[in-house]
Amino acid sequence: MKASPVSPNFQLASPTDLEILLPLMGEYYNFEGIVFDDAKARRAMGGLLADARYGLAWIIRVDNAVAGYMVVCFGYGLESGGRDAFIDELYLRPSFRGQGIGTQAMKIMIEACRIHGVHVVYLEVGPENELAIRYYAKAGFIERGFGLMACPIEP
């Protein structure tokens, strides 16, 4: 007997959802091996939720259970032709993976970018993550041949 299809709900997050999102961020960062700083995460996510000019966040639920979250951040680039966006975070708890939720999430984020006048959407993926690279290619992303570099600036 085939399992019934999963019907996730993608709820646009608001400032009142911060306490739901922070533990999810912690889980995601732990999964990726990123150091999670609660104060920094609280400041960054709180700022994003307070001002949609920075981007959008969603809480993903399946049957009222919190399944994960996703975030797209807005920017501006000359090479992009104007407004661009970065899919900053997409996290699904392990029990919700492999059910097509990530594919639906990607479509929702890209459509939201289209609605917000974005010309190009970027994301970050490690070169060793061949499965994710194939997945993103199917979603329309192309390899640009450039590596993403970062220069942290202390306040």
Side-chain angles (χ1 to χ4, degrees), residues 58-126:
W58 292 261
I59 297 170
I60 306 167
R61 289 189 168 89
V62 175
D63 297 329
N64 294 320
V66 176
Y69 77 108
M70 57 196 202
V71 175
V72 63
C73 296
F74 298 134
Y76 192 93
L78 299 179
E79 185 181 334
S80 302
R83 197 162 201 201
D84 58 17
F86 195 88
I87 294 179
D88 199 35
E89 298 187 1
L90 171 55
Y91 173 72
L92 289 172
R93 287 180 161 153
S95 62
F96 295 99
R97 296 178 191 156
Q99 301 176 49
I101 299 170
T103 298
Q104 291 177 59
M106 191 65 64
K107 288 178 183 175
I108 286 170
M109 286 189 287
I110 289 172
E111 183 57 26
C113 287
R114 183 176 287 114
I115 290 167
H116 284 83
V118 168
H119 300 283
V120 179
V121 179
Y122 299 99
L123 57 74
E124 179 180 16
V125 61

Side-chain angles (χ1 to χ4, degrees), residues 3 11 20 22-23 25 32 65-66 76 94-95 134:
Q11 171 202 341
I20 295 170
L22 288 174
M25 288 178 72
E32 289 290 342
V66 176
Y76 192 93
S95 62
R134 285 194 304 273

Side-chain angles (χ1 to χ4, degrees), residues 25-41:
M25 288 178 72
E27 289 176 31
Y28 172 60
Y29 286 32
N30 184 56
F31 174 78
E32 289 290 342
I34 301 167
V35 174
F36 181 74
D37 178 331
D38 185 76
K40 180 180 174 183

Side-chain angles (χ1 to χ4, degrees), residues 15 18 40-55:
L18 184 61
K40 180 180 174 183
R42 184 174 297 278
R43 188 173 49 253
M45 182 63 83
L48 180 108
L49 295 175
D51 191 340
R53 292 178 298 173
Y54 295 139

